[in-house]
Amino acid sequence: MGCAEAGGRGGPVSPPRAALLTRPPTAGAGRGLAAQLLLAVVSGGYAVGAALGWGSTELAKIMGDFGLSTAGLLAAVSCFHYARTIDRRERPAWLMFAFSSLMGALGNAVWGWYEVVLGQDVPEPSLADFAFLCFAPPAIVGLLVLAKRPVTRAGWVCLGLDSWLIGGSLLTLSWSLALANAARTVQSGAPGSVPRAALSLAYPLLDIALVSMVLVLHFRRSANNRSAVNTAIAALALTVLSDALFTSPLLNTTYRSGEILDAGWFAGSLLLAYAPWGARRAESAEQAVRPPRAERPHSRPISGSLPALTPYLAAAVCTLGILYNVVDGRKVDRMVVFTGCTVVLALVIRQGIMLVDNIALTQELAQKENHFRSLVQGSSDVIMIAAPTGTLRYVSPAAAGVYGREAEELVGTELATLIHPDDLGRVVHEVRRFLAAPPSEEPTTRIECRFESGEGDWLNVESTVNRHQGGLILNSRDVTERVRLQAQLQHSAEHDPLTDLPNRALFTRRVRQALTGRRAGDHSTAVLFIDLDGFKAVNDTIGHQAGDELLVEAARRLQDSVRAGDTAARLGGDEFAALIMGDGSRDRGAREYQAHEIADRLRTTLSQPYRIGGSEVRVAASIGVAFADPGITPSDLMRNADLAMYRAKAGGKNRVELYAPQMQAEVVRKAELAGRLRTALHEGEFALLHQPVVSLATGEVTAVAAQARWRSAQGILFTPAEFLRVAEYSEGAHGIAPDASRTAELGRWLLEEAVEQAAERHRAGHHVPVAVRITAQRLLDRSVPLASLDALLTRHGLPSGALVIELADSDPRVPFDELERRLTALRRLGVLIALDGFGSGYAAISALRRLPVDMLKLDRGLVEGLAESARLHKITAGLLRIANDLGMQSVADGVDLPEQVSALRAMGCTHGQGMAFSGPLDEYRLRRALVRGTFPVPGGVAQPALAGGSSSGLMVIRRGSNNETPVPPA
């Protein structure tokens, strides 16, 4: 830094607008240029203002003191913020730069306090001098952190010697020019002059150390974030240059705050503030614009030789310092002589180390040449050097093993004569293109072609090509086996492993080619989707091995039945496809007749009996046909054939179906209905109704069964079976299965809503349990843990025994062990378990034997024909006796007629649920029914069933279609 008057002007500053600090480092080149222009304008404006004197002395002092302080403070903030955003070895360096800039800002602020605020001269020494002296040491430490660390002891020694060579030479020159007088003043000890002279001596010495590190770092900087580091070095160099100008005798005595010299410190601060952000932005933009290069270009000779010339340049500067004293006729100062001697000694040591390194490098180079020669001679790859004319000048001995030809035989041969004629044109074009490209952008290329072997065969050879004195170096290897393997892998990737027919990917590509190639306008081209009816039964009865044999035989029949230009493929499972190329006919009837005839022939062929493992197996074929209508895409064409195939299966199987537009319209309609259901679920369009469960002996309401209804826009309440059927697509249609996640979401809503309303009824004094129907798969779903159900009951305060889970599943594949553990845990929570649909499923008896069940709910099918069928009467009576013997309550579902009530009561059934008592009620009507408490129990004579009882004033629900249920009044 300069002396006290200079105020240590300098330090990194961020761009004037704080928004620049928040811009991402990957901004475009245009933004980086705008930031650089803004930096130049601000620095230039400050320089112009300083050159013109700022218009007044007071303003000049403010800009010269507080202006520089503000710049230093912004620089400190910029470097500190940047240090927090990086997680690399450079972080301490930027923290040091921030501290250094902060010291510079503090010194200028103290200087402004005396000059501007107090209006008096700054005392010497002062706090400003302490701050300015603290500027250089942190910057030096930061530069040391950024320097590339040597990897050997000799490297560390050379780093120290280089630093002293530069610093000592600068010290010799500075001492001869100005510092000798300051040193003599300090030695004289004159009153009042010693502090000033000591400061005048300290600032240049620190600046010399700083500029030494700047120069050393320029040749030893790390490769990481080079743009930011270069900008920081330039900023510090500008600051040191301003200090050097200030310490010169011409400016030392005449400097005043706000002069043109302050512009150098101000620009240095801005440049250091811009370094971590603008330079990185420019580097990112440059990398985004330039294509990636294969390798870093070689350094230019001048820049590469500057580090080697550094010791000699330092010695030359030191010699100039001594000559200055001799030419001027002055006695050479002892400090100059001592420093010069140490510089010369450092130069000698440095050159000695370099000599030892050169000897070691020469020996290492000889060893590497021998090693390289051994590698070339023993390499399995063939190394060939071709002259610019294409003649082979060198061939490694590996040619005998790779090409079957001796190396001496190949030397002098034209390279073009070894290449397959079909590949020669491509190889020549690639070589010419490679030689025309700049070496820095494309140092190597790779060529694959066929070479002639000594036995006359053609080998697949891969060669890495490099330039060599106008010719080429080829590193070649035999890749014939790899090419064969790639061909096999390509075949495997495009063909079914079982039948060796084209798979879906290859078939789709063939369809695309047929629609976009030279026959794109042939609308008689058709796609056939084929599904084997009954194939699953073959797998289930005689095994998957037999099923695979059947698929292989079916693929063979299909391949033999299609024409030579057509494509037969296996899409997966028992689904096949065929691409039938058209004959150019535009007659719709003719093309449909031809396609139908081909498809029917395929159906007949595939439906013939198969002889599998000594047994005769029969399957049928359902085929869908779609034509390449104008403007159709490959995916749409295959989708249409798929829809037609599923329509053939739905129409009775073993038939051919041509695609019609209404098939797609039907799919769209179902998708729209499913979308409406999804919207209804998320927008709360579902309603919860409750149907009373009545004691058959007293008519008392003992429970209510929760049932969900979908309230449509037309005011219709759809039952669960109805709206779930709407949500499901036809089985397997265009690859979409029923939406299990939406069903699970509806189940969660039903349970939570039922528990919440039941808790409200309990608080109102209606202590009636609520029954919720849940499937076994839903109970076993891991996404519904017991803790969530426990939390639900606790959150709403529903007491123990107030929730009944109706287990609705008779699938024998349900794991009873896990289901038993789940139900036992539910009972520990106070939840009652009812076995729903008892008497209808295969697993009902097993479930009754193994599961913890509190009550049985008879299936509706047992109750409907109870009065007419004596056989059904006996079955139902037997099931009820089982329930009574086990001490369980029994509930009959679907009790709609009075005679059913009488018959069930006579059999010992304890409870009933159905239209004989009440239909599903909304909350208002349910509470009215609960206040009344009982329903009239019908006698043996049939009478109209009232919804909620005749005395309640509810509407009459007649037995009939359940497709639509009118919305109950609120």
Side-chain angles (χ1 to χ4, degrees):
M1 299 300 296
C3 66
E5 291 86 356
R9 319 297 199 226
V13 190
S14 65
R17 295 193 301 175
L20 292 177
L21 295 175
T22 61
R23 289 183 181 177
T26 56
R31 295 183 179 180
L33 180 60
Q36 295 171 5
L37 290 176
L38 180 62
L39 178 65
V41 168
V42 174
S43 300
Y46 190 95
V48 171
L52 298 178
W54 297 105
S56 67
T57 304
E58 188 67 22
L59 181 59
K61 291 181 179 180
I62 294 175
M63 296 302 297
D65 295 330
F66 290 116
L68 292 182
S69 179
T70 303
L73 183 61
L74 290 177
V77 173
S78 174
C79 292
F80 178 76
H81 181 69
Y82 177 67
R84 294 183 59 189
T85 60
I86 60 176
D87 189 15
R88 296 193 297 266
R89 189 177 65 88
E90 294 86 355
R91 173 176 290 183
W94 293 101
L95 290 176
M96 290 294 100
F97 292 156
F99 181 74
S100 179
S101 300
L102 184 62
M103 290 296 99
L106 177 61
N108 283 293
V110 172
W111 194 263
W113 172 262
Y114 283 104
E115 275 195 338
V116 179
V117 179
L118 300 181
Q120 64 184 28
D121 293 336
V122 181
E124 298 180 3
S126 66
L127 180 61
D129 297 315
F130 171 77
F132 294 148
L133 289 175
C134 291
F135 176 85
I140 294 173
V141 174
L143 292 174
L144 285 173
V145 173
L146 291 176
K148 184 185 298 183
R149 297 179 181 179
V151 296
T152 62
R153 288 185 179 181
W156 284 104
V157 173
C158 290
L159 176 62
L161 292 175
D162 290 344
S163 301
W164 177 243
L165 285 172
I166 297 174
S169 60
L170 293 178
L171 177 60
T172 301
L173 185 61
S174 301
W175 193 274
S176 301
L177 295 176
L179 298 183
N181 295 330
R184 284 192 290 270
T185 303
V186 174
Q187 293 175 357
S188 65
S193 63
V194 174
R196 178 181 179 84
L199 290 176
S200 301
L201 190 62
Y203 285 125
L205 291 177
L206 290 176
D207 284 340
I208 289 173
L210 182 58
V211 75
S212 300
M213 291 309 305
V214 168
L215 293 176
V216 171
L217 178 61
H218 177 71
F219 302 121
R220 293 180 175 269
R221 61 187 182 276
S222 176
N224 294 333
N225 203 6
R226 178 164 297 190
S227 296
V229 174
N230 289 341
T231 308
I233 292 175
L236 294 176
L238 182 59
T239 302
V240 172
L241 178 62
S242 300
D243 289 345
L245 291 176
F246 176 79
T247 56
S248 64
L250 296 176
L251 298 178
N252 197 330
T253 58
T254 61
Y255 170 77
R256 294 294 182 270
S257 295
E259 291 185 354
I260 187 62
L261 189 58
D262 289 347
W265 288 309
F266 185 81
S269 299
L270 290 184
L271 191 60
L272 185 57
Y274 173 77
W277 308 104
R280 190 172 69 173
R281 179 185 298 111
E283 185 180 46
S284 301
E286 184 180 2
Q287 292 177 353
V289 172
R290 291 184 305 179
R293 298 185 177 182
E295 62 179 12
R296 187 178 299 276
H298 299 290
S299 301
R300 289 173 294 181
I302 296 179
S303 62
S305 60
L306 282 179
L309 296 176
T310 300
Y312 303 101
L313 295 176
V317 172
C318 184
T319 304
L320 289 176
I322 298 175
L323 291 177
Y324 175 79
N325 288 271
V326 175
V327 173
D328 198 32
R330 292 183 296 176
K331 180 181 179 181
V332 179
D333 193 279
R334 286 179 297 175
M335 184 65 181
V336 174
V337 174
F338 175 77
T339 305
C341 291
T342 57
V343 169
V344 173
L345 179 61
L347 178 60
V348 172
I349 297 174
R350 180 72 169 81
Q351 294 303 107
I353 294 176
M354 291 181 61
L355 179 60
V356 174
D357 285 345
N358 288 337
I359 295 174
L361 288 175
T362 302
Q363 296 176 351
E364 184 180 356
L365 180 60
Q367 293 177 357
K368 288 185 176 180
E369 287 180 353
N370 295 331
H371 181 63
F372 176 73
R373 184 178 296 107
S374 300
L375 288 177
V376 172
Q377 298 293 334
S379 174
S380 60
D381 293 349
V382 181
I383 311 297
M384 297 184 295
I385 299 178
T389 59
T391 304
L392 293 178
R393 297 190 305 189
Y394 172 79
V395 179
S396 66
V402 175
Y403 300 146
R405 304 175 68 174
E406 295 297 331
E408 294 78 6
E409 178 187 349
L410 292 176
V411 173
T413 305
E414 291 290 336
L415 184 60
T417 61
L418 303 175
I419 301 176
H420 194 282
D422 295 341
D423 300 338
L424 183 58
R426 176 174 53 85
V427 172
V428 171
H429 178 270
E430 175 62 21
V431 169
R432 288 177 178 175
R433 185 203 61 79
F434 170 66
L435 294 177
S440 58
E441 294 185 2
E442 191 173 2
T444 63
T445 188
R446 181 167 296 181
I447 297 176
E448 187 170 331
C449 60
R450 285 168 289 180
F451 268 35
E452 185 179 8
S453 68
E455 299 177 356
D457 300 329
W458 292 102
L459 303 176
N460 292 95
V461 176
E462 180 186 67
S463 301
T464 302
V465 184
N466 294 269
R467 299 174 181 85
H468 176 69
Q469 298 178 358
L472 300 173
I473 296 180
L474 295 94
N475 188 354
S476 305
R477 63 199 62 87
D478 183 9
V479 294
T480 304
E481 292 299 324
R482 191 194 72 185
V483 172
R484 292 175 181 172
L485 179 59
Q486 288 178 343
Q488 293 176 0
L489 292 176
Q490 182 70 19
H491 181 85
S492 299
E494 296 179 341
H495 290 76
D496 177 59
L498 179 63
T499 63
D500 202 40
L501 289 179
N503 59 13
R504 182 182 293 272
L506 180 56
F507 183 76
T508 303
R509 186 161 68 249
R510 296 275 179 86
V511 172
R512 183 178 296 108
Q513 292 172 354
L515 296 182
T516 58
R518 58 184 179 85
R519 306 185 64 175
D522 189 357
H523 305 316
S524 59
T525 298
V527 169
L528 280 61
F529 265 44
I530 307 164
D531 186 84
L532 300 182
D533 304 323
F535 176 75
K536 184 177 182 301
V538 175
N539 276 338
D540 295 340
T541 55
I542 60 177
H544 289 273
Q545 180 65 34
D548 290 345
E549 294 179 12
L550 189 148
L551 290 176
V552 172
E553 177 62 21
R556 186 190 61 79
R557 295 184 185 183
L558 180 61
Q559 184 68 46
D560 294 341
S561 300
V562 297
R563 300 170 302 180
D566 300 335
T567 300
R570 183 191 177 203
L571 305 182
D574 61 339
E575 289 190 354
F576 295 86
L579 174 63
I580 307 300
M581 304 304 295
D583 56 1
S585 174
R586 295 184 175 275
D587 184 7
R588 184 180 184 86
R591 74 170 188 177
E592 290 183 357
Y593 175 79
Q594 181 186 17
H596 196 283
E597 182 182 16
I598 295 174
D600 197 61
R601 185 175 68 251
L602 291 177
R603 181 192 63 79
T604 303
T605 302
L606 294 174
S607 301
Q608 295 296 322
Y610 294 83
R611 197 71 182 176
I612 306 296
S615 302
E616 186 177 277
V617 178
R618 288 182 176 272
V619 294
S622 296
I623 302 179
V625 182
F627 292 98
D629 293 326
I632 196 170
T633 63
S635 59
D636 290 343
L637 179 58
M638 296 175 64
R639 179 206 61 197
N640 294 346
D642 195 17
L643 291 176
M645 184 267 291
Y646 279 107
R647 175 58 64 89
K649 293 178 71 69
K653 302 181 180 181
N654 194 21
R655 59 196 303 261
V656 176
E657 189 77 30
L658 299 181
Y659 171 78
Q662 56 266 28
M663 296 180 185
Q664 176 63 21
E666 182 179 353
V667 172
V668 172
R669 182 183 63 83
K670 289 184 179 180
E672 291 176 351
L673 290 177
R676 287 174 50 196
L677 175 61
R678 186 185 304 110
T679 302
L681 187 60
H682 288 287
E683 294 185 359
E685 297 181 5
F686 280 90
L688 186 64
L689 304 182
H690 294 84
Q691 188 171 24
V693 178
V694 180
S695 172
L696 298 183
T698 63
E700 181 183 0
V701 178
T702 59
V704 292
Q707 300 177 5
R709 295 293 188 272
W710 175 23
R711 188 188 304 272
S712 68
Q714 293 77 22
I716 303 299
L717 286 180
F718 290 98
T719 65
E722 292 164 346
F723 58 69
L724 288 180
R725 184 169 60 249
V726 167
E728 296 179 359
Y729 291 96
S730 58
E731 180 183 359
H734 66 309
I736 300 179
D739 195 341
S741 62
R742 193 154 57 246
T743 305
E745 187 176 355
L746 177 60
R748 285 193 297 270
W749 174 86
L750 174 63
L751 179 61
E752 294 178 0
E753 192 74 12
V755 170
E756 181 180 359
Q757 294 188 15
E760 292 178 357
R761 288 193 295 272
H762 271 261
R763 287 191 290 270
H766 304 297
H767 304 290
V768 179
V770 60
V772 180
R773 188 174 185 269
I774 301 179
T775 64
Q777 286 85 352
R778 176 68 178 154
L779 280 177
L780 296 178
D781 189 357
R782 296 184 182 272
S783 63
V784 189
L786 290 174
S788 64
L789 182 57
D790 188 14
L792 178 64
L793 298 175
T794 303
R795 183 170 69 250
H796 294 291
L798 192 64
S800 177
L803 175 63
V804 180
I805 296 297
E806 295 180 353
L807 184 62
D809 206 316
S810 58
D811 190 349
R813 294 172 295 180
V814 173
F816 275 104
D817 294 337
E818 186 175 354
L819 183 59
E820 181 181 5
R821 289 193 295 269
R822 193 65 180 254
L823 294 179
T824 302
L826 287 176
R827 294 187 70 185
R828 284 198 294 267
L829 297 178
V831 178
L832 301 178
I833 306 299
L835 188 59
D836 189 24
F838 185 70
S840 63
Y842 295 105
I845 299 301
S846 299
L848 184 62
R849 177 174 59 88
R850 299 185 57 180
L851 301 180
V853 178
D854 298 294
M855 60 186 70
L856 296 180
K857 192 168 185 179
L858 294 179
D859 184 72
R860 175 182 292 268
L862 297 176
V863 179
E864 288 180 350
L866 189 62
E868 295 84 3
S869 174
R871 185 182 184 89
L872 190 60
H873 189 282
K874 292 181 180 181
I875 294 175
T876 305
L879 295 177
L880 290 174
R881 279 196 299 271
I882 293 175
N884 293 331
D885 293 342
L886 294 177
M888 297 181 181
Q889 295 182 3
S890 55
V891 180
D893 189 14
V895 183
D896 298 334
L897 301 175
E899 53 267 28
Q900 295 173 345
V901 176
S902 300
L904 289 169
R905 185 171 51 200
M907 295 178 190
C909 184
T910 58
H911 297 81
Q913 171 187 341
M915 301 302 294
F917 305 104
S918 172
L921 305 176
D922 59 12
E923 187 64 21
Y924 171 76
R925 294 189 174 203
L926 176 62
R927 295 210 178 189
R928 288 181 56 188
L930 293 178
V931 169
R932 187 176 63 251
T934 60
F935 284 92
V937 179
V941 181
Q943 57 184 346
L946 303 179
S950 58
S951 61
S952 64
L954 302 181
M955 65 178 182
V956 177
I957 306 296
R958 294 180 174 85
R959 189 182 179 199
S961 173
N962 289 328
N963 289 338
E964 296 181 356
T965 304
V967 179

